Amino acid sequence: DTEVTQTPKHLVMGMTNKKSLKCEQHMGHRAMYWYKQKAKKPPELMFVYSYEKLSINESVPSRFSPECPNSSLLNLHLHALQPEDSALYLCASSLGPAGGLAEQYFGPGTRLTVT
Amino acid sequence: AQSVTQLGSHVSVSEGALVLLRCNYSSSVPPYLFWYVQYPNQGLQLLLKYTTGATLVKGINGFEAEFKKSETSFHLTKPSAHMSDAAEYFCAVSGRGQGAQKLVFGQGTRLTINP
C-alpha cells in the first residue's frame, strides 16, 4: 500500500468556524508533512512530524494547529482562518530521517475555501 | 541551504516530440533530487529520484533524468510525448539525513502537448 489518503476532499468554512483536515498512511513511514499550495505555485512546507514529534514548523500562524496522534495519522486543526488561507492542503509521508531514502509520497489534497 | 530553478514556466511540444524540462539546483551538501508531476486538482506523484550511484535515472511513464554535478543540473526528458503527459512538473531538492525532511521545490513547469 503506497497510498496517502486525505479527508475531506473539499471543505468550505467561514472565518469563525473550527474544522480539521485528516491524513492517513499505512506504509510504516515515520515522517509526515503538511504543505499549502496556492494556485499555479509550488507546495510550501508548513509542518513536519518525525516519529510523532513536531520537528519543523515553518513559522505558520497559530490558527493552523497540527497534531500527530499516532504514526499513521496526521491532523491539521483550523480555527479563525482568513480568506487568503484558501488553498490546496497536501499531506505527505516519507520513511523518516533514519530511513535513508528521502522521497515523499503525497496525498490528493484537501481543497479549502474560506468564506 | 538548497534552491531550485526551473527554466521555463511553460513548455509546449507536439505529440511524439522530445520532452525536455530543465532544472538547475544549488546545494551546499550532496543533494537528493526529485521530479514530481501534478495533474489538475490532484496531489504530487513522484516520477523519479536521484540519491547516489548511477547519474542517469529512469522513472515512471518513460521519463528519465540525468544528474550532472558539474552543471548542477537535473533535466527531465522523455523521447516521445503523449497527450497524457500534459501536467505541471516540479523539480525538488533536499539535503540528507535530517536535512532530507525539507524538500525545496522549483516554481514548476507546465507542459502542454499539441496534437
Side-chain angles (χ1 to χ4, degrees):
Chain A
D1 183 3
T2 57
E3 194 178 20
V4 176
T5 58
Q6 291 187 244
T7 54
K9 288 193 70 168
H10 301 275
L11 178 63
V12 179
M13 60 184 291
M15 288 189 284
T16 58
N17 291 159
K18 283 186 181 181
K19 296 285 184 184
S20 296
L21 309 184
K22 180 179 172 182
C23 173
E24 195 164 3
Q25 58 88 16
H26 295 287
M27 295 180 277
H29 289 175
R30 302 311 301 272
M32 295 185 77
Y33 310 77
W34 281 116
Y35 288 86
K36 174 183 178 179
Q37 186 180 26
K38 302 284 275 185
K40 301 186 188 305
K41 295 290 188 182
E44 297 174 18
L45 183 64
M46 299 174 71
F47 303 103
V48 180
Y49 273 83
S50 182
Y51 297 93
E52 293 134 66
K53 287 184 169 47
L54 185 65
S55 61
I56 296 177
N57 176 343
E58 292 287 271
S59 303
V60 178
S62 60
R63 57 186 184 268
F64 295 91
S65 175
E67 179 196 19
C68 191
N70 60 56
S71 60
S72 300
L73 277 176
L74 186 66
N75 298 320
L76 186 63
H77 303 297
L78 314 172
H79 173 56
L81 294 192
Q82 304 296 310
E84 59 264 28
D85 297 321
S86 298
L88 181 68
Y89 287 83
L90 294 163
C91 175
S93 70
S94 70
L95 274 171
L101 298 177
E103 66 260 37
Q104 296 182 21
Y105 293 85
F106 285 80
T110 293
R111 176 73 61 188
L112 174 68
T113 304
V114 182
T115 61
Chain B
Q2 286 87 29
S3 68
V4 173
T5 302
Q6 290 184 240
L7 299 173
S9 59
H10 187 197
V11 170
S12 181
V13 302
S14 297
E15 190 174 18
L18 172 72
V19 174
L20 171 60
L21 305 183
R22 298 178 188 274
C23 172
N24 287 91
Y25 71 92
S26 172
S27 179
S28 54
V29 297
Y32 287 149
L33 292 159
F34 308 87
W35 275 100
Y36 284 88
V37 61
Q38 186 175 32
Y39 298 99
N41 299 310
Q42 294 188 26
L44 278 69
Q45 182 182 13
L46 180 67
L47 277 177
L48 48 79
K49 65 181 186 285
Y50 169 78
T51 53
T52 57
T55 56
L56 181 63
V57 292
K58 294 187 186 300
I60 61 172
N61 302 338
F63 285 94
E64 62 182 37
E66 186 170 12
F67 170 62
K68 291 188 176 180
K69 185 178 177 182
S70 60
E71 298 177 10
T72 61
S73 69
F74 192 57
H75 301 331
L76 182 71
T77 60
K78 181 174 180 177
S80 178
H82 191 273
M83 295 298 291
S84 60
D85 295 326
E88 188 85 21
Y89 291 79
F90 292 100
C91 181
V93 64
S94 76
R96 294 170 184 241
Q98 289 285 345
Q101 293 183 29
K102 214 163 178 181
L103 200 56
V104 176
F105 289 91
Q107 289 298 305
T109 297
R110 179 168 300 278
L111 177 64
T112 302
I113 311 296
N114 303 311

